[in-house]
Amino acid sequence: MLNGKVLIVEDQSNFRRGLVKMIESGGLGWTVAGEASNGQDALALLDQVKPDLVLTDIRMPIMDGIEFVGHLRQSYPDLLVIILTGYKNFEYAQAAVRHGALDLLIKPCTEQDVRQVLNKASECFYERYTQQQKEFVQQRLGQDQALRAFLLDLPHTSRFTPGLNELLSGSELWLLQCNHDDFVKPDYQKSDRSLLQFALSNIVEELMKSSGVDARLILVEHDRFVLVTEHNGVGESLREEIRSASLQFLKIRLKMILMGTAQSAEHLTQLYKNTDGIVKGAADNKLAGEKESMPGMLLSLNQAKVKEMEVQLMSAILMGQSIGLQQLLDQMLTELSGKPSDEMKIGALALSIALQKLMQKEFDPDGTEPLARIPGELPQSYWTSEEVIGWLSKQVKNFILLFNNWQASKSDNVIEKAAQYIEEHYHEACRLTDVAAHVHLNPSYFSASFKKATGESFTSYVTRFRIEKAALLLRNTDMKIFEIAGAVGFDEPNYFTNVFKQRYQMSPKEYRNCDKV
């Protein structure tokens, strides 16, 4: 799951530590990237930790929160800020708004108060992240188009040249040549070629990814791709995997020819022409020279579509929303059913690939077969719209079945295992992420399941467990209070005392003396 980074600026160490513990163990979607006790130290940390959110107190020594946020805005005008204050004062609220604070958190605050403002911050963070991803996709599409234009010696803009030069630095290029007879059959239409191009690109990308090799695959002409990869990244065994998978899944014979390196984007045209000279003559290519500029762009868009669908589905899975997941998939099927036939087939394949990826990533994370993410069957040219939707509906049904089985298996005895882990590790950090990992669940889903089963949040449960253990030690031992605090998992004796008071309405010392009486 995507977590944002938060910087906490607070001079009261107990309160700061409490916030850190709550955020780190509460499954709130945030990770504490840094802490500071005043604005001056926080400014020095900004460039180092690059937070997505700042929680800052107002009243602090050396540099207060308002002055700190004022300096912060000069370099980070859009950074999310939540202001903490112990004074419910209109002037502070005005100052917070003036400096673009997302919210104002009044101390003392409950866990629910913190959760509320962090959830609000999460919404803003995810909205910005989504927008950044869209901008990244557009940048990637433009760069792919420019790379294709350089290779084919087509008109291009210089806007993406610096990025291409950075991509080409230290990289080598490979030409992937599909066998013409396999790729262009008499009964194949252009839409069939688009499906094959889409499927082949996913096969290559999955194999490269599983091998840990950074790569960029570009469709150059109808039956030719260019692979930009790290130097010496594509060994013979990986090339054989790609060739075998292409033949097994798509019945396409594939040649991989090392093109070499290009010192800059300007050298791509000649590099491609030199390699083109090696390939030509091997077969009578009726479509040779067909410039696939727009289909190449469509392929890049289709690849982006898979990622978009995957992110949408992942959100529902992380929240454990079986009904929401089903509704989302039903909506996707309904939208696809209204598309023209060719577009429907591409969309169906995109959703199918997204489902396959998620099935392996979430339901079989230890699986070692990367091509389990590729559908075993492609929509055929002769299929009607009803047959395409029927084919996809079967995969959706299977996906939902696997999800429900996975969810049920994860729920069996999970709370008992979690409670046992807490009992054995309460004297340690015992973070929510630790327990979630122990029971093999996503932290957000585990947090929701735990609260549903126990009636209290994970943090409250662990805190109550620790305080009850502390009470037991106070009644039955002569251990000093600071020793008891450390023995039950509290780093700060003062913080322990405050929490104990909230539970028993008296201090640990009073509790011990009361018991003696």
Side-chain angles (χ1 to χ4, degrees):
M1 183 180 178
L2 177 67
N3 278 352
K5 295 186 294 183
V6 58
L7 171 63
I8 299 177
V9 190
E10 165 64 59
D11 62 322
Q12 296 178 14
S13 59
N14 290 343
F15 187 74
R16 188 174 70 246
R17 287 177 181 273
L19 282 175
V20 171
K21 282 189 175 182
M22 189 182 301
I23 292 170
E24 291 285 12
S25 65
L28 299 173
W30 294 95
T31 301
V32 178
E35 303 173 48
S37 59
N38 60 74
Q40 183 173 290
D41 291 346
L43 280 176
L45 279 176
L46 283 176
D47 290 337
Q48 179 183 333
V49 303
K50 298 188 182 306
D52 302 296
L53 169 67
V54 169
L55 266 70
T56 180
D57 194 8
I58 289 183
R59 295 175 64 90
M60 295 183 293
I62 304 177
M63 181 187 291
D64 66 24
I66 297 298
E67 184 182 355
F68 161 60
V69 175
H71 286 295
L72 174 154
R73 285 294 178 223
Q74 295 176 18
S75 301
Y76 299 90
D78 299 321
L79 185 58
L80 295 173
V81 174
I82 293 174
I83 289 183
L84 306 165
T85 178
Y87 300 88
K88 197 170 184 179
N89 188 299
F90 182 66
E91 291 182 6
Y92 287 130
Q94 278 187 317
V97 171
R98 188 168 63 251
H99 286 86
L102 178 67
D103 211 333
L104 192 69
L105 189 60
I106 308 297
K107 297 187 294 184
C109 48
T110 65
E111 180 181 346
Q112 184 58 35
D113 294 331
V114 177
R115 281 182 173 274
Q116 199 167 24
V117 295
L118 288 180
N119 285 337
K120 182 177 179 180
S122 292
E123 291 179 8
C124 293
F125 173 63
Y126 288 130
E127 284 177 7
R128 290 184 180 185
Y129 176 78
T130 301
Q131 183 59 36
Q132 289 169 356
Q133 288 299 103
K134 289 180 179 178
E135 292 171 0
F136 171 78
V137 168
Q138 291 303 314
Q139 179 76 9
R140 174 74 177 261
L141 290 173
Q143 198 175 77
D144 285 357
Q145 189 76 336
L147 178 56
R148 192 176 297 111
F150 272 109
L151 288 164
L152 296 174
D153 197 19
L154 297 173
H156 58 271
T157 174
S158 60
R159 174 186 169 192
F160 298 101
T161 304
L164 285 182
N165 289 335
E166 185 178 345
L167 173 68
L168 295 170
S169 177
S171 299
E172 64 185 18
L173 287 79
W174 289 80
L175 179 69
L176 277 63
Q177 173 69 57
C178 301
N179 182 276
H180 181 70
D181 294 334
D182 297 338
F183 199 77
V184 184
K185 294 182 178 179
D187 57 339
Y188 273 12
Q189 300 176 8
K190 194 167 185 178
S191 59
D192 297 313
R193 294 210 307 272
S194 296
L195 284 170
L196 290 173
Q197 290 162 349
F198 190 17
L200 180 58
S201 71
N202 277 280
I203 286 175
V204 174
E205 288 179 349
E206 287 299 332
L207 287 172
M208 299 296 291
K209 184 178 179 181
S210 68
S211 299
V213 179
D214 289 330
R216 179 84 68 89
L217 188 69
I218 306 293
L219 174 65
V220 183
E221 300 183 61
H222 76 282
D223 57 357
R224 291 181 186 175
F225 294 80
V226 166
L227 184 67
V228 183
T229 181
E230 59 193 68
H231 190 62
N232 293 328
V234 187
E236 176 54 38
S237 60
L238 181 53
R239 296 201 296 274
E240 180 56 34
E241 276 191 88
I242 293 173
R243 289 191 293 260
S244 298
S246 175
L247 188 60
Q248 176 188 346
F249 285 90
L250 305 177
K251 305 296 185 288
I252 293 177
R253 289 166 287 180
L254 188 68
K255 286 184 179 180
M256 294 187 65
I257 302 164
L258 179 62
M259 297 171 64
T261 61
Q263 295 178 353
S264 66
E266 284 74 16
H267 293 85
L268 288 171
T269 301
Q270 192 59 48
L271 187 64
Y272 184 70
K273 285 181 178 178
N274 291 342
T275 312
D276 191 34
I278 298 173
V279 175
K280 282 195 172 175
D284 177 24
N285 191 341
K286 295 178 182 178
L287 296 176
E290 178 182 327
K291 305 301 185 186
E292 290 282 343
S293 181
M294 276 308 295
M297 177 60 80
L298 289 175
L299 175 60
S300 298
L301 287 168
N302 291 333
Q303 292 166 334
K305 189 183 299 180
V306 171
K307 183 63 179 176
E308 180 184 346
M309 290 176 168
E310 193 178 346
V311 169
Q312 285 181 283
L313 294 167
M314 179 68 76
S315 298
I317 289 175
L318 290 177
M319 296 304 294
Q321 297 172 345
S322 180
I323 296 176
L325 182 61
Q326 180 69 67
Q327 290 174 340
L328 177 60
L329 286 166
D330 287 344
Q331 179 185 340
M332 289 178 170
L333 282 170
T334 300
E335 290 176 356
L336 279 174
S337 64
K339 303 284 186 182
S341 178
D342 292 348
E343 191 176 341
M344 180 191 297
K345 290 174 184 176
I346 290 290
L349 181 57
L351 179 54
S352 176
I353 290 172
L355 292 175
Q356 298 289 339
K357 286 185 176 184
L358 285 172
M359 279 192 281
Q360 186 180 47
K361 188 183 298 183
E362 292 299 312
F363 310 150
D364 185 26
D366 299 324
T368 57
E369 177 51 62
L371 294 181
R373 304 178 186 184
I374 304 298
E377 182 183 24
L378 299 179
Q380 301 299 308
S381 59
Y382 55 84
W383 282 8
T384 63
S385 298
E386 289 75 15
E387 288 174 316
V388 173
I389 295 299
W391 170 79
L392 185 57
S393 296
K394 288 180 182 178
Q395 296 188 59
V396 167
K397 185 177 180 180
N398 182 52
F399 180 83
I400 289 293
L401 179 63
L402 285 173
F403 171 73
N404 289 334
N405 290 341
W406 171 79
Q407 196 176 37
S409 68
K410 294 298 182 183
S411 298
D412 292 342
N413 300 320
V414 159
I415 304 304
E416 290 181 19
K417 290 179 182 177
Q420 181 66 30
Y421 183 92
I422 292 169
E423 187 171 347
E424 294 173 357
H425 297 271
Y426 70 91
H427 55 284
E428 302 170 6
C430 200
R431 296 180 292 266
L432 182 143
T433 49
D434 298 329
V435 184
H438 178 70
V439 296
H440 309 293
L441 284 182
N442 172 273
S444 295
Y445 178 60
F446 168 70
S447 177
S449 300
F450 190 91
K451 186 169 185 177
K452 183 177 180 181
T454 64
E456 59 184 325
S457 71
F458 174 84
T459 303
S460 297
Y461 182 95
V462 173
T463 300
R464 177 177 58 78
F465 190 91
R466 285 170 167 165
I467 293 300
E468 288 174 356
K469 289 291 184 183
L472 187 66
L473 292 173
L474 285 167
R475 291 196 306 268
N476 296 284
T477 74
D478 292 326
M479 292 173 65
K480 296 179 179 178
I481 290 174
F482 77 87
E483 292 175 332
I484 291 176
V488 298
F490 286 90
D491 297 329
E492 287 285 338
N494 290 338
Y495 179 64
F496 162 72
T497 298
N498 290 336
V499 175
F500 193 94
K501 279 184 178 179
Q502 290 177 6
R503 173 78 178 167
Y504 288 102
Q505 309 302 313
M506 64 181 73
S507 70
K509 183 178 180 180
E510 291 169 337
Y511 181 88
R512 172 175 271 170
N513 292 335
C514 180
D515 187 65
K516 288 179 180 179
V517 175

